[in-house]
């Protein structure tokens, strides 16, 4: 089934958008929308202010972080109730996306991953208590790596952590960290972990397809020291095989991309459904503008208010008048 529905907004586009069951929630403003199309028909939520335009939700749905994408401030919530304030390093917070995500470890625990003290120092903690699982010393004068972590994503099975951030001056990179190892040796989170090693050009976007496969899109023509994923190529990297499962020429920007069932969704300019192995556009929705967000950094903030359902069958795109819900279930 392929269908579209329009759910009326309150006359202003939501600041954030996430799925909650069959409904949609803006954790920043407090509004919710459900399939009957009326705003606010779910349980009332508290709004948290205009500065918050980003949200991360834990796999269980219990915990949320609302944050300023280009800012210092964030709030950790437990089912919508404030647990504690969060912050990040004040090194250029107005030039790249706030590094924060949730995940479920291989032992089943839900964790919060962010960079509370240093933009190049990842920390993993239990959201309910704030207990840090990656405590390690930072000796005075020790120089950390030059990474600006951003666009964090834990793999579906909980083994791997992706950081699709950047280095000065500026250059997009992808790194993958082994979370099982990091829990016993937290210092591994401070090492440069380029993945795939064979990406020599700048990484525009990356996301997990499943526990083994990482989709990566390269955008520039800067020569690297490894065999390259060339500019304009979409690659699928296998963690198990430590090599490319596929590489395909795409030829234009993909911007923000995320897994969508067995496909990828690209949100550059408008939503496009891509076949990961070939880069073929399976479907496109040019009537749903989604802006030109690309890399993790930039002096001009580019908003993007979309939500992809975890079941990989639906996504939503917000505008001032409507939230358009696209159903792609088979």
């Amino acid at each position: 089934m392929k269908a579209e529905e329009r759910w009326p907004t309150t006359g202003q586009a939501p600041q954030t958008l996430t799925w909650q069951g069959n409904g949609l929630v803006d954790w920043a403003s407090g509004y919710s929308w459900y399939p009957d199309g009326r705003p606010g028909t779910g349980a009332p939520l508290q709004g948290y202010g205009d500065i918050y335009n980003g949200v991360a939700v834990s796999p269980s749905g219990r915990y949320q972080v609302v944050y300023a994408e280009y800012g210092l401030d964030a709030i950790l919530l437990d089912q919508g109730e404030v647990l504690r304030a969060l912050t990040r390093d004040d090194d250029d917070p107005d030039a790249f996306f706030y590094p924060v995500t949730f995940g479920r470890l291989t032992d089943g625990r839900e964790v919060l991953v962010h960079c509370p003290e240093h933009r190049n120092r990842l920390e993993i903690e239990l959201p309910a208590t704030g207990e840090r699982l990656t405590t390690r010393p930072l000796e005075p004068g020790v120089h950390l790596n030059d990474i600006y972590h951003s666009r964090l994503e834990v793999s579906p099975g909980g083994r791997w952590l992706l950081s699709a951030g950047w280095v000065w001056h500026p250059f997009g990179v992808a790194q993958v960290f082994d979370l099982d190892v990091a829990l016993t040796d937290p210092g591994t989170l401070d090492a440069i972990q380029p993945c795939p090693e064979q990406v020599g050009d700048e990484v525009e976007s990356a996301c997990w397809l499943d526990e083994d496969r990482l989709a990566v899109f390269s955008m520039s023509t800067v020569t690297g020291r490894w065999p390259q994923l060339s500019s304009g190529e979409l690659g699928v990297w296998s963690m198990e095989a430590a090599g490319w499962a596929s590489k395909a020429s795409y030829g234009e920007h993909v911007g923000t991309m995320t897994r969508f069932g067995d496909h990828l969704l690209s949100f550059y300019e408008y939503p496009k459904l891509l076949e990961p192995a070939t880069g073929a556009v399976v479907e496109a929705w040019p009537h749903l503008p989604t802006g030109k967000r690309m890399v993790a950094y930039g002096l001009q903030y580019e908003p993007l208010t979309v939500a992809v359902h975890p079941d990989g069958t639906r996504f939503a795109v917000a505008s001032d008048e409507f939230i358009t819900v696209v159903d792609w279930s088979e």
Side-chain angles (χ1 to χ4, degrees), residues 26-149:
D26 177 2
W27 289 98
S29 73
Y31 282 100
S32 58
W33 296 263
Y34 285 82
D36 60 12
R38 291 180 294 150
T41 57
L45 297 169
Q46 177 181 340
Y48 292 96
D50 293 340
I51 69 168
Y52 299 110
N53 50 13
V55 63
V57 179
S58 69
S60 70
R62 173 177 174 176
Y63 302 103
Q64 305 82 30
V65 170
V66 290
Y67 57 93
E69 289 199 298
Y70 268 30
L72 286 171
D73 298 319
I75 304 173
L76 174 62
L77 311 174
D78 183 347
Q79 297 178 337
E81 299 295 326
V82 175
L83 270 179
R84 58 185 177 274
L86 303 177
T87 190
R88 63 158 159 166
D89 191 343
D90 63 358
D91 188 351
D92 291 324
D94 57 350
F96 71 105
F97 297 118
Y98 198 116
V100 62
T101 194
F102 289 98
R104 192 186 301 277
L105 299 175
T106 54
D107 63 13
R109 290 179 293 176
E110 285 195 319
V111 291
L112 172 69
V113 187
H114 61 145
C115 298
E117 284 94 27
H118 304 279
R119 43 100 175 153
N120 49 6
R121 191 170 171 88
L122 293 160
E123 302 289 358
I124 304 170
E125 63 186 51
L126 300 179
T129 63
E131 177 190 352
R132 192 165 289 181
L133 305 180
T134 49
T135 300
R136 69 271 198 200
L138 178 62
E139 300 297 333
V142 172
H143 178 69
L144 292 173
N145 62 66
D146 290 327
I147 295 293
Y148 290 72
H149 288 298

Side-chain angles (χ1 to χ4, degrees), residues 23-294:
L24 291 158
V25 174
D26 177 2
W27 289 98
S29 73
Y31 282 100
S32 58
W33 296 263
Y34 285 82
D36 60 12
R38 291 180 294 150
T41 57
L45 297 169
Q46 177 181 340
Y48 292 96
D50 293 340
I51 69 168
Y52 299 110
N53 50 13
V55 63
V57 179
S58 69
S60 70
R62 173 177 174 176
Y63 302 103
Q64 305 82 30
V65 170
V66 290
Y67 57 93
E69 289 199 298
Y70 268 30
L72 286 171
D73 298 319
I75 304 173
L76 174 62
L77 311 174
D78 183 347
Q79 297 178 337
E81 299 295 326
V82 175
L83 270 179
R84 58 185 177 274
L86 303 177
T87 190
R88 63 158 159 166
D89 191 343
D90 63 358
D91 188 351
D92 291 324
D94 57 350
F96 71 105
F97 297 118
Y98 198 116
V100 62
T101 194
F102 289 98
R104 192 186 301 277
L105 299 175
T106 54
D107 63 13
R109 290 179 293 176
E110 285 195 319
V111 291
L112 172 69
V113 187
H114 61 145
C115 298
E117 284 94 27
H118 304 279
R119 43 100 175 153
N120 49 6
R121 191 170 171 88
L122 293 160
E123 302 289 358
I124 304 170
E125 63 186 51
L126 300 179
T129 63
E131 177 190 352
R132 192 165 289 181
L133 305 180
T134 49
T135 300
R136 69 271 198 200
L138 178 62
E139 300 297 333
V142 172
H143 178 69
L144 292 173
N145 62 66
D146 290 327
I147 295 293
Y148 290 72
H149 288 298
S150 191
R151 299 185 298 181
L152 305 177
E153 184 182 357
V154 176
S155 61
R159 171 72 184 277
W160 310 103
L161 170 66
L162 166 68
S163 171
W166 58 289
V167 294
W168 186 255
H169 56 85
F171 188 83
V173 295
Q175 295 185 94
V176 171
F177 301 87
D178 188 324
L179 292 178
D180 286 351
V181 172
L183 292 177
T184 59
D185 183 6
T188 59
L189 295 173
D190 300 329
I192 299 292
Q193 303 281 6
C195 182
E197 291 185 349
Q198 281 81 353
V199 176
D201 289 345
E202 184 171 16
V203 171
E204 176 175 305
S205 189
C207 70
W208 293 106
L209 281 168
D210 51 38
E211 185 61 11
D212 176 58
R213 296 179 301 154
L214 179 71
V216 184
F217 182 76
S218 184
M219 61 171 279
S220 77
T221 56
V222 177
T223 300
R225 57 179 178 167
W226 299 295
Q228 297 179 25
L229 183 69
S230 300
S231 179
E233 275 194 317
L234 175 64
V236 176
W237 178 266
S238 168
M239 298 298 297
E240 182 179 0
W244 293 110
S246 63
K247 292 197 293 184
S249 177
Y250 182 69
E252 59 182 272
H253 296 293
V254 299
T256 297
M257 66 178 181
T258 184
R259 67 183 180 275
F260 188 66
D262 294 330
H263 296 85
L264 288 166
L265 265 177
S266 160
F267 287 108
Y268 184 76
E269 293 188 321
Y270 53 86
K272 306 173 189 71
L273 192 66
L274 308 181
E275 213 299 310
T278 65
V281 177
V282 178
E283 185 64 85
W285 294 266
H287 60 289
L288 299 177
T290 49
K292 294 184 177 181
R293 179 179 290 194
M294 291 191 297

